[in-house]
Structures are given as C-alpha cells and as structure tokens.
Amino acid sequence: MLRELGYPVVFDVTHSLQQPGGGDGVTSGLGQYVVPLASAGVAAGVDGIFMEVHEEPARARSDAQNAVRLDQLPQILDRLLRIDAVVRAAERRGP
C-alpha cells in the first residue's frame, strides 16, 4: 500500500529481532536471523533495509546481539542486491 502511494518501505531487520527484557538487564535478540530475514524482506519487495552494523558487535553499546559485523557487510549487501535484481526484473515482466 505504501509503495503504491509513492512512499518507500524500509524494513528494520535489527529491531524486528529484538527480545526486550530477554537479556540480563539488556535487550537480547536473535541475531542469527538477520541475514535470512533481510533476504526475505528484499524478496518481498522492500525498498530498503535497516541493520545495526559494528566492527565488534560484542562491544556495541546497543543491539549487540543483533549487530552485523562490519567485515561481513559487503557479502551481505551483495546477496541482498542480487535478490533485489531478481525481484525488480520480475516486477518489470509483470504477472
């Protein structure tokens, strides 16, 4: 609906995987699902992805459990761009 109205849709992967109160005084999360969930969002046609990224996620002041390592970002972005290319090509072809 938002895309049809001209608004971009951005999927906040990091915070979708948070588990508030799940840690010992800090928010925990399911970081192992960041890449699969981001991939699913792109495959569903979102216009953008929001992800927490940190050089050393364990030292991040917030969202440490859901942060992607900075050195993994190029590979993840390449994957997401390849998925996006397939989705956009399919959209151009139509039903």
Side-chain angles (χ1 to χ4, degrees):
M1 170 98 180
L2 290 173
R3 287 183 76 200
E4 286 80 19
L5 295 174
Y7 296 102
V9 175
V10 177
F11 179 30
D12 183 347
V13 178
T14 301
H15 296 109
S16 296
L17 293 167
Q18 276 187 336
Q19 294 183 314
D24 187 23
V26 297
T27 298
S28 66
L30 301 168
Q32 69 270 30
Y33 298 115
V34 168
V35 174
L37 199 56
S39 300
V42 172
V46 299
D47 299 298
I49 295 289
F50 175 88
M51 289 187 293
E52 301 281 349
V53 179
H54 196 279
E55 291 176 342
E56 296 179 56
R59 297 184 59 214
R61 291 186 176 188
S62 67
D63 301 317
Q65 289 193 346
N66 291 345
V68 170
R69 287 190 56 86
L70 180 60
D71 61 355
Q72 294 175 343
L73 190 59
Q75 179 182 353
I76 293 168
L77 291 178
D78 179 62
R79 173 190 176 103
L80 298 179
L81 287 170
R82 285 185 284 118
I83 294 168
D84 184 66
V86 170
V87 170
R88 302 297 174 193
E91 286 176 351
R92 285 191 297 275
R93 283 193 305 270

